[in-house]
Amino acid sequence: VQRTFSILKPDATRRNLTGAVNAVIEKAGLRIVAQKRIHLTKAQAETFYAVHSARPFFGELVEFMTSGPVVVQVLEGEDAIAKYRDVMGATNPANAAEGTIRKLFAESVGENTAHGSDAPEAAAVEIAQFFSGNEIVG
Ligand code: GTP
Ligand code: MG
């Protein structure tokens, strides 16, 4: 089994959709083994998305991610990283496949409901940014 890191973004909490998104996650066979609702600071959001700091949308991205509460999660399952990327769908909801989280719920490429790690190294770094070992209960 593998673990991945997930964020239900501020557009999900604002529209009271965290349970609906979690239902899609669980239906796909991923287990939510850690979860908490937090409000990201600007510094936390900048650190988290540091890889995108040179992109033109970086300021907008940080502003959005700090615009309301998020739910940070650790998901566990067979091939969890790739599976969750599949379950989320394409970054731009206009290109996302039927039944994916972003197709079902996302409003725009910026406000796209969910984050999922894109590689094992990223998952480890991202999980460690938000969870201590004893907060993850498999
Ligand atoms: P994450 O799981 O959130 O990392 O999304 P991703 O891996 O599908 O996409 P990527 O890492 O390339 O981009 C990170 C995030 O930046 C996206 O999820 C969007 O929220 C945001 N983003 C990407 N492209 C754009 C854009 O053109 N405009 C805006 N406003 N935001 C963007
Ligand atoms: Mg990404």
Side-chain angles (χ1 to χ4, degrees):
V1 288
Q2 190 178 55
R3 286 176 175 172
T4 192
F5 179 74
S6 163
I7 303 180
L8 309 187
K9 297 185 181 186
D11 65 294
T13 59
R14 177 166 42 79
R15 291 176 293 154
N16 212 23
L17 289 172
T18 63
V21 177
N22 278 349
V24 177
I25 289 170
E26 292 184 332
K27 200 164 182 195
L30 292 163
R31 302 184 76 84
I32 302 164
V33 295
Q35 173 167 259
K36 58 190 171 189
R37 181 175 170 108
I38 61 175
H39 198 131
L40 294 179
T41 64
K42 189 163 184 273
Q44 281 178 309
E46 286 173 346
T47 298
F48 183 76
Y49 277 125
V51 67
H52 295 309
S53 60
R55 303 277 200 98
F57 57 79
F58 184 66
E60 208 175 298
L61 177 58
V62 169
E63 191 173 337
F64 167 60
M65 291 301 291
T66 57
S67 68
V70 299
V71 176
V72 292
Q73 304 175 311
V74 180
L75 309 181
E76 187 177 272
E78 201 66 51
D79 211 8
I81 293 171
K83 179 179 271 188
Y84 189 45
R85 300 283 296 185
D86 282 350
V87 170
M88 286 197 301
T91 307
N92 186 342
N95 303 325
E98 289 299 327
T100 61
I101 289 167
R102 285 164 169 168
K103 176 72 173 188
L104 287 166
F105 304 117
E107 302 183 295
S108 66
V109 66
E111 308 205 356
N112 61 2
T113 309
H115 160 82
S117 308
D118 59 12
E121 309 72 47
V125 169
E126 293 173 1
I127 289 169
Q129 188 183 346
F130 292 101
F131 291 100
S132 59
N134 66 1
E135 291 179 307
I136 304 169
V137 184

